[in-house]
Amino acid sequence: MNELVHARGLVKRYGRKRALDGFDLSIGEGRIVGLIGPNGAGKTTALKALLGLTAYEGELQVLGLDPVRQRKQLMQDVCFIADVAVLPRWLRVNQALDYVATVHPRFRRERAEAFLATTEIPARARVKTLSKGMITQLHLALIMAIDARLLVLDEPTLGLDILFRKAFYTTLLNDYFDDHRTILVTTHQVEEIEYILTDVVFIDHGRAVLAEAMDTLGERYRQLIPRREHLEAARALGPLSEETSFGRHALIFEDVPQERLAPLGELRTPSISDLFVAKVGGARK
Amino acid sequence: MTFLMLLRRETWEHRAIVLAPAIVAGLTTLLMLAGLVQGRGLSRDGAGLYLVQGLGLMSPERREASLTVLLTGVVPLFLLTMVIVILFYAVDALYSERRDRSILFWKSLPVTDLATVLSKLCTALLIIPLVTLVFIGLTQVLTLLLATLMVWGAEGDAWSLVWRPAPLMSLWTLALYFMVAAAVWCAPLIGWLLLASAWARKAPLLWATLPVVIGGQLELLAFGTTAVYSLVADRVIGVFRVAFRPDIKTLMQVDGDGELQAVATDRLLALIDLPGLLTAPGLWLGLAVAAVFVMLAIWLRRYRDEG
């Protein structure tokens, strides 16, 4: 596996608070990694360190480069969307295309124009006249036309309605992603990106508390709906969490072999959000 | 290519760079047109007659001097506008991208902070003055065209009365020299404004002016002197002192009897004191200070965590 991002023991202090507290991350080429964590867990700080936007302590290489010292070189191969509101309001659509086409050697203008043609964005409109969804489309059009090896998305669909959110990820997957591209994405709406991820990383209190490929997730984490008579036996196996809804219990286990759980009830792979609640919510109690 | 695009970007965001001098040029031209209509400038016995008779009676030197006064009359308004545009541009240049958070978009592209800050410095020091210069030139040509119409109205010879004695080339050379000299002389002020712009989380204009005012007032209270204020004032207007010969004052002066003191064409370019400018210790000291301010601004843009 060609490792694009390599972080070991990243620490970032803001005064006495540690936004990152020994954060580890490894991302291979061609993966789509979801970085998921509660507010204030250090998601944005981790991304900023990766993008050379903030100083840090610890070991970090992105595409084999030092993000702070080799930032210009890094930005040739890395793209990011930091927030929906980030395009300046005075910028015109055609100006944005002119600008990126001139400063970015890997920008393919015809690709951006082809994508924009499928939207309702006027060719010379100013950003301030566009809706929030259109601004995100414009930003995505610019970013997707760049042949970048790593794309970093920080809450890219924040504040958008469900139609735009769906369209955003569909476009990303169909028109952008291939074996040579790698995507790192953070979001609150876990359910919406669950099906596109190849890997998931949970971050809490500045540390990675889980880092797993989606393929192997089901081998390590299992959700058990025990038959009533086996509930106590299931609890004795040390679940990460237990939830009750409509009188039904659902227990999530980590690294408990299938043959020990299967006799007790119905087994399934937990959803990312259930697992997140179990792993992070459990630790917070 | 990238750097040219960075300069274009500045004119997209700060439209006053072109709009402000264009408005001044438009208003000036409108005023001249109004004067022309009111003075019946195009008729045989209108204001044009005074122009033909007045200029016709003058010696060639006086004629040149009169046209110099006519053509430089519009310049102060342009310069005042330019100073205001530069001031507001410079304090906004590294602040607006942080205020609207678009800095993260600009930083997502492979452009260094060095190139970005230098493009803003270059806009303040060279682009804004050059755009102003173009509009000054345009207004002067329009002035001469209107004068031509008036002279024609009174059946005079516009070439010998207006165009030949008008020292356009000398005036433009002088103006270009002034803009470049002023740019290098005022560089530390611009550097300071850019630094305030990169530093302030709010109200960059206040950050730019308050330290000077506080320093000046403290000095006044403690020692009763005004060295701080004098230093800043000299950076604003001192370029006339170091870059020109003292006769510069007579360029547009009218003495008590209404006699024009303007300098004749052949002496216009003699006003330039390039050796004086280049040997002024203040120039090099100022450039060194400007370099420090600009480097600090670059450092801030590069390493400050916007949280």
Side-chain angles (χ1 to χ4, degrees), chain A residues 12 14 48 53-54 68 71-72 75 80 82-83 86-88 90 95 98-99 102-104 126 139, chain B residues 1-2 5-6 9 12-13 15 100-102 104-112 302-303 305 307:
Chain A
K12 173 70 192 180
Y14 288 110
K48 275 160 72 178
L53 292 170
T54 191
V68 172
R71 189 151 195 287
K72 188 191 174 189
M75 285 303 117
F80 66 90
D83 194 288
V86 91
L87 289 177
W90 52 264
Q95 291 173 341
D98 286 347
Y99 184 85
T102 309
V103 304
H104 209 304
R126 278 187 204 283
H139 206 158
Chain B
M1 277 308 281
T2 296
M5 180 48 79
L6 294 185
R9 194 216 87 105
W12 291 339
E13 180 177 2
R15 283 181 291 163
D100 66 14
R101 307 229 311 136
S102 64
L104 288 176
F105 170 65
W106 306 115
K107 282 200 165 200
S108 76
L109 297 164
V111 178
T112 58
R302 170 131 198 216
Y303 291 108
D305 196 330

Side-chain angles (χ1 to χ4, degrees), chain A residues 144-165:
Chain A
M144 287 204 319
I146 294 169
D147 266 321
R149 292 173 64 197
L150 176 64
L151 176 62
V152 176
L153 303 168
D154 188 8
E155 297 285 356
T157 55
L158 199 67
L160 298 185
D161 64 46
I162 181 126
L163 293 176
F164 269 118
R165 294 205 299 262

